[in-house]
Amino acid sequence: MRRVIPLNFGWRYADSFCEDYLKENADETGFVEVDLPHTNRELPYNYFDESEFQFISCYRKHFDIPLEYKGKRIFVDFEGVMCYAEVYVNGVYAGEHKGGYTPFSIDITDKVRFGENNVLSVKVDSTERPDIPPFGNVVDYLTYGGIYREVSLRVVNPVYIANAFFAPSDVLQTDKEIRAKVFVSNPEQKAGETVVCVALKDGDTVISEQRKTLQLTGDDKVMVEIVLSGIRDVELWDLDNPRLYTCEAYLVDSNISDCAADCAGCDRGVDKGVLDRFSARIGFREARVEPDGFYLNGNKIQLRGLNRHQSYPYVGYAMPERVQRRDADILKYELGLNLVRTSHYPQSVHFLDRCDEIGLLVFEEIPGWQHIGDAEWKKVACQSLREMIERDWNHPSIFLWGVRINESGDDHDFYTETNRIARELDPTRQTGGVRWRERSEFLEDVYTMNDFIHSGGEAVLRDPSRVTGLPEPVPYMVTEFNGHMYPTKRFDQEERLVEHAMRHIRVQNAAAMDPGISGAIGWCAFDYNTHSEFGSGDRICYHGVMDMFRIPKFAAYAYGSQKDPSQGVVLEAATLWARGERSIGGVIPLVIFTNCDYVDLVLNGVVAGRYYPARDEYPGLPHPPVVIKESPEQFGVWGFRWPDGEIVGYINGKPVAKKAYAGQPVATRLEAIADDDVLTLGETYDATRVVFRVVDQVGNLTPYINESIKLDITGPGRIIGPSEPTLIGGCIGVYVRTTGQSGEIRLTGRSSRFAPAEVAIRVQ
Ligand code: GAL
């Protein structure tokens, strides 16, 4: 059987490089101990020089290979190294990889010493090498550096399963199928016989199973196709019920007759006769973009999404599983989305796993940004495309492969080839290719267009038939809008924050009203660090509906309020509730993002009016905002006393939510809120976010307060980033990670003005 041994703790790291570091007995004096995921350089929040992380570094890991593994094959599996890696074992070159967003495996069988200690040395080049996508020109995001995803050792038999693609088909029929392709590797070119078995399981229950005898003729790699047919009584994977099953491929001894029982047995540690096992979660679903919209399992669904960059403050891409998964939860549950685009590269498997689990559709694309390089560059792009599909083809959440470099020009031969590769590897999914030019060559299945026409004026979205210039309607999706058209900081002036939110609302509404548009994916979910050519000069693009810490702007409520109230009632007025914040003064028009049926506005304890969602203006939205356009008399005019306010949201005639606003807000309290109160000791360190915020007497954020917060941490935890941050717009996120022991982490924030705020997080 296979053994997977995580290799994430206790690496030695040097933020410099010389050839001697690759030697077996290299002097490690200048090295420090680090864990993976690791960023090659922790960065400030903003205003840094982006060349700071563009250098060559070295990682070394000492590990034992027990004698009992002699005769097995040993691989080292890297999930992601930015952007070029050269791997040495005991001082001997073992392999290399180009591309920072896709995994690679290196067979180190012939390099390791069994029953002894070995050393892995990795030269990591995190410079922007023009031979590797996305580099060669400017890029509007940072790529950071280091071994920023997990690493493991894999020990397998000489004949083993390299990969398996389990493709559900006929999912809307009573009798469904799984068409499995099992890739068996036989690098020692042994002749003989093995049995390949595929089983569909729900927990421990085997639903269906088939086997095939494979004659090994000495070929290195063989693909075996096995069809499980007549599958009944399985539930579909849907947005509200993302039902997952397990598919497993096994290699077993030919003298085992009852494959299912024995294969199930191997889960319980019974190893008899099972030579290898490859497992993946799958879902039965049919997802297609048609010219008249997107269909999931035959039901038309309006796609509403945002683009996600996988970056975080200070550590760039290097965040562990929990934090990656959390982003999927934010997108689905806080922002009420049904779709995310992994702009502009394959993202963490932890993020994708969570999308599968919660029913969040994914459009995943190859690395790149506008620029197309030379032949060698294109070769790497095609390789990254293969690696992306071969890693991710079993995720039910992914329904579309992005096979063009984001916003690049036409390149007939290159994109004919990327489409060919995608269709050959995975004939079950459509391809898309994100463009910004009208009438660019359409080689994909879905015309995916960045439509930035909305600039606050009348024009909201382009007409798809004009964009494509094609005689017939084709599957069409808007893959970006807003972004640089209206950068907005979370602590910007209120009018700007409102307009920012309304632009998202207008475009989502227009997309829903056009039968030729399957949906719209806004730019973007979270603010991100970027190069000096972009953003606000401080190396931040303030394009998110949330900031870099995932703290909401008003636009986040515009999205969040679109979800069904059964997933949480949203009631948020897009205002600070102050007389003099907006030009001329007052808070009218007052936009309230809510999924309630109607709201009452209460001023100084007296109901001033009842207001309904603006359905006439935004008929395409599930929950249009309430827009109060006329000033109720009680607001008075400049010079009069500003009232306390309250909004009350009603569903089915019952008050279900209330939100109070203080007429005379006073910063009252520093709060600390942790995303998690339990972290776990697992295959690597764990982490969570804690938000420190100053609130007024009714609990609302006071966005213009600037306090520095002195953080104290005790117990088995460490702060990622500065230990004395300053509130940005009234609040700040702090990431805390485990250090390897169990116990209780206590994080306390102290400021000059308020009582300390503290969270306790158990590590187990
Ligand atoms: C697009 C690009 C994105 C981002 C966005 C900002 O052109 O694809 O990566 O730069 O503009 O609005």
Side-chain angles (χ1 to χ4, degrees):
M1 276 289 286
R2 71 172 55 196
R3 301 266 176 283
V4 175
I5 304 152
L7 219 56
N8 299 314
F9 289 115
W11 285 71
R12 312 282 301 158
Y13 168 69
D15 63 358
S16 60
F17 181 75
C18 71
E19 293 295 326
D20 280 355
Y21 289 172
L22 301 173
K23 291 188 178 149
E24 179 169 8
N25 297 314
D27 175 8
E28 293 182 359
T29 323
F31 285 61
V32 291
E33 189 169 318
V34 301
D35 304 324
L36 310 182
H38 179 254
T39 188
N40 66 350
R41 171 125 338 137
E42 273 199 24
L43 297 164
Y45 173 73
N46 60 355
Y47 281 115
F48 52 83
D49 177 347
E50 62 260 30
S51 64
E52 269 192 49
F53 60 82
Q54 296 168 26
F55 59 87
I56 301 177
S57 60
C58 187
Y59 290 75
R60 286 170 61 87
K61 173 72 190 166
H62 298 266
F63 62 103
D64 290 325
I65 295 281
L67 203 52
E68 63 181 276
Y69 292 156
K70 205 167 175 71
K72 308 273 181 194
R73 296 212 73 85
I74 319 287
F75 290 87
V76 55
D77 295 336
F78 291 84
E79 290 292 330
V81 180
M82 186 60 71
C83 66
Y84 168 78
E86 224 170 79
V87 180
Y88 292 74
V89 178
N90 300 329
V92 180
Y93 172 84
E96 65 194 285
H97 182 259
K98 285 183 179 182
Y101 297 99
T102 43
F104 59 97
S105 295
I106 292 180
D107 187 338
I108 57 171
T109 316
D110 302 336
K111 313 276 179 322
V112 290
R113 289 187 302 258
F114 293 87
E116 287 181 40
N117 193 261
N118 295 269
V119 63
L120 203 62
S121 319
V122 190
K123 172 183 177 185
V124 176
D125 186 349
S126 303
T127 62
E128 302 193 343
R129 292 173 46 141
D131 57 333
I132 300 176
F135 308 119
N137 195 14
V138 296
V139 179
D140 172 21
Y141 50 92
L142 298 183
T143 55
Y144 309 97
I147 305 184
Y148 76 92
R149 289 179 185 157
E150 291 87 342
V151 174
S152 51
L153 282 182
R154 179 165 38 102
V155 183
V156 293
N157 284 316
V159 180
Y160 65 95
I161 301 170
N163 200 349
F165 179 22
F166 307 109
S169 76
D170 298 342
V171 304
L172 303 184
Q173 311 297 319
T174 315
D175 288 322
K176 306 174 201 339
E177 284 188 353
I178 288 183
R179 302 184 157 269
K181 288 181 182 163
V182 183
F183 299 84
V184 178
S185 267
N186 180 18
E188 292 169 23
Q189 310 241 337
K190 297 197 166 164
E193 194 178 88
T194 186
V195 174
V196 185
C197 171
V198 169
L200 170 68
K201 292 161 79 176
D202 185 8
D204 276 346
T205 313
V206 178
I207 299 173
S208 178
E209 178 238 309
Q210 280 296 327
R211 54 200 261 145
K212 237 184 204 178
T213 303
L214 170 67
Q215 298 300 334
L216 297 167
T217 58
D219 282 343
D220 186 356
K221 283 200 174 99
V222 195
M223 193 266 279
V224 182
E225 272 192 283
I226 292 180
V227 179
L228 304 182
S229 50
I231 300 169
R232 294 187 168 200
D233 302 325
V234 288
E235 290 173 65
L236 296 182
W237 184 92
D238 228 317
L239 299 186
D240 298 331
N241 180 34
R243 183 66 156 89
L244 295 172
Y245 294 87
T246 306
C247 242
E248 302 201 318
Y250 305 89
L251 295 185
V252 291
D253 269 348
S254 45
N255 54 11
I256 287 187
S257 55
D258 186 355
C259 185
D262 285 313
C263 292
C266 73
D267 274 343
R268 296 187 288 275
V270 186
D271 214 359
K272 58 171 180 189
V274 178
L275 305 172
D276 197 10
R277 179 172 64 127
F278 179 97
S279 179
R281 292 190 309 183
I282 59 134
F284 292 87
R285 74 344 152 249
E286 187 187 85
R288 290 198 73 74
V289 188
E290 302 288 350
D292 68 339
F294 172 76
Y295 290 84
L296 182 63
N297 302 328
N299 301 314
K300 193 165 173 177
I301 290 175
Q302 180 63 30
L303 294 172
R304 195 174 52 247
L306 289 169
N307 285 274
R308 174 200 186 227
H309 269 306
Q310 62 173 14
S311 52
Y312 297 86
Y314 320 124
V315 290
Y317 289 163
M319 273 293 184
E321 177 172 356
R322 182 186 304 274
V323 184
Q324 301 285 345
R325 288 168 61 88
R326 173 94 193 166
D327 266 4
D329 285 344
I330 291 171
L331 296 169
K332 166 110 182 175
Y333 299 118
E334 255 185 81
L335 299 174
L337 308 176
N338 52 28
L339 168 64
V340 58
R341 171 171 170 231
T342 63
S343 52
H344 301 294
Y345 38 76
Q347 300 191 350
S348 156
V349 286
H350 304 306
F351 176 74
L352 298 171
D353 282 344
R354 188 62 183 157
C355 293
D356 291 341
E357 289 168 17
I358 62 179
L360 179 64
L361 293 160
V362 179
F363 170 20
E364 188 172 44
E365 72 185 343
I366 53 172
W369 202 82
Q370 294 195 345
H371 165 76
I372 301 177
D374 62 9
E376 173 59 20
W377 189 101
K378 289 178 184 172
K379 218 171 95 193
V380 180
C382 289
Q383 183 59 29
S384 300
L385 170 63
R386 285 177 187 283
E387 288 165 349
M388 171 178 84
I389 295 179
E390 289 175 349
R391 186 192 71 168
D392 289 336
W393 50 19
N394 290 315
H395 287 282
S397 55
I398 299 174
F399 72 103
L400 190 61
W401 299 124
V403 303
R404 268 176 91 112
I405 302 304
N406 169 63
E407 292 196 332
S408 55
D410 286 343
D411 186 326
H412 179 82
D413 292 349
F414 181 35
Y415 292 136
T416 301
E417 178 60 5
T418 57
N419 275 283
R420 188 196 65 74
I421 292 171
R423 288 172 184 139
E424 180 187 281
L425 291 175
D426 179 6
T428 73
R429 288 179 177 86
Q430 292 173 305
T431 61
V434 173
R435 64 205 67 227
W436 64 272
R437 274 205 191 95
E438 293 194 355
R439 294 172 189 234
S440 73
E441 191 185 15
F442 184 44
L443 297 166
E444 295 77 28
D445 302 311
V446 184
Y447 205 103
T448 40
M449 176 74 182
N450 287 353
D451 185 344
F452 285 100
I453 202 172
H454 186 52
S455 190
E458 289 287 295
V460 181
L461 278 174
R462 292 165 212 255
D463 172 8
S465 66
R466 268 212 32 215
V467 172
T468 67
L470 298 168
E472 299 292 332
V474 295
Y476 185 94
M477 192 192 295
V478 173
T479 38
E480 286 183 37
F481 60 90
N482 270 2
H484 63 286
M485 304 301 290
Y486 208 71
T488 302
K489 301 178 185 71
R490 182 172 51 69
F491 41 93
D492 255 328
Q493 205 240 8
E494 177 169 314
E495 278 157 297
R496 189 171 188 94
L497 282 155
V498 175
E499 172 62 11
H500 176 238
M502 294 314 285
R503 288 183 181 209
H504 279 277
I505 283 288
R506 282 181 220 123
V507 176
Q508 290 293 354
N509 177 66
M513 294 308 289
D514 189 327
I517 301 179
S518 57
I521 311 175
W523 191 266
C524 59
F526 315 123
D527 293 347
Y528 54 97
N529 286 128
T530 190
H531 286 89
S532 56
E533 289 83 6
F534 304 90
S536 296
D538 63 347
R539 309 303 191 278
I540 297 179
C541 261
Y542 293 94
H543 295 178
V545 304
M546 293 178 146
D547 71 8
M548 279 211 277
F549 297 103
R550 284 63 174 155
I551 299 171
K553 306 175 189 175
F554 291 158
Y557 303 131
Y559 278 96
S561 60
Q562 302 311 314
K563 69 188 175 197
D564 194 84
S566 63
Q567 294 184 340
V569 174
V570 176
L571 181 70
E572 295 285 348
T575 182
L576 309 181
W577 197 263
R579 160 62 63 66
E581 160 71 359
R582 295 191 188 183
S583 318
I584 309 179
V587 295
I588 301 295
L590 179 60
V591 177
I592 300 167
F593 294 113
T594 183
N595 49 10
C596 292
D597 297 338
Y598 55 84
V599 304
D600 279 351
L601 175 67
V602 183
L603 298 175
N604 286 334
V606 179
V607 176
R610 174 159 291 182
Y611 301 90
Y612 291 84
R615 214 164 288 289
D616 290 348
E617 268 174 273
Y618 307 102
L621 297 178
H623 299 285
V626 171
V627 185
I628 302 176
K629 292 184 175 158
E630 307 262 306
S631 187
E633 216 178 303
Q634 294 90 326
F635 272 130
V637 286
W638 193 252
F640 282 74
R641 210 171 164 75
W642 183 244
D644 287 336
E646 187 178 58
I647 47 173
V648 186
Y650 289 81
I651 295 179
N652 296 328
K654 295 203 177 68
V656 291
K658 265 187 193 167
K659 184 94 207 232
Y661 299 90
Q664 289 85 43
V666 175
T668 307
R669 210 167 67 243
L670 175 69
E671 288 184 341
I673 302 159
D675 286 343
D676 301 277
D677 49 18
V678 178
L679 297 181
T680 49
L681 297 172
E683 296 183 353
T684 186
Y685 63 91
D686 199 356
T688 191
R689 178 192 68 161
V690 181
V691 174
F692 285 86
R693 62 202 294 263
V694 173
V695 295
D696 66 15
Q697 61 271 45
V698 294
N700 290 329
L701 182 74
T702 49
Y704 302 135
I705 200 157
N706 299 317
E707 281 279 304
S708 91
I709 307 294
K710 196 173 167 323
L711 298 171
D712 279 329
I713 191 161
T714 59
R718 199 162 81 208
I719 295 161
I720 298 174
S723 58
E724 198 162 339
T726 302
L727 299 181
I728 301 171
C731 56
I732 191 86
V734 175
Y735 292 92
V736 174
R737 59 156 283 184
T738 58
T739 48
Q741 303 83 38
S742 56
E744 190 178 69
I745 301 173
R746 276 184 177 272
L747 178 69
T748 312
R750 293 190 171 79
S751 71
S752 61
R753 203 173 141 180
F754 307 101
E758 184 176 276
V759 290
I761 302 166
R762 198 151 39 86
V763 183
Q764 60 188 30

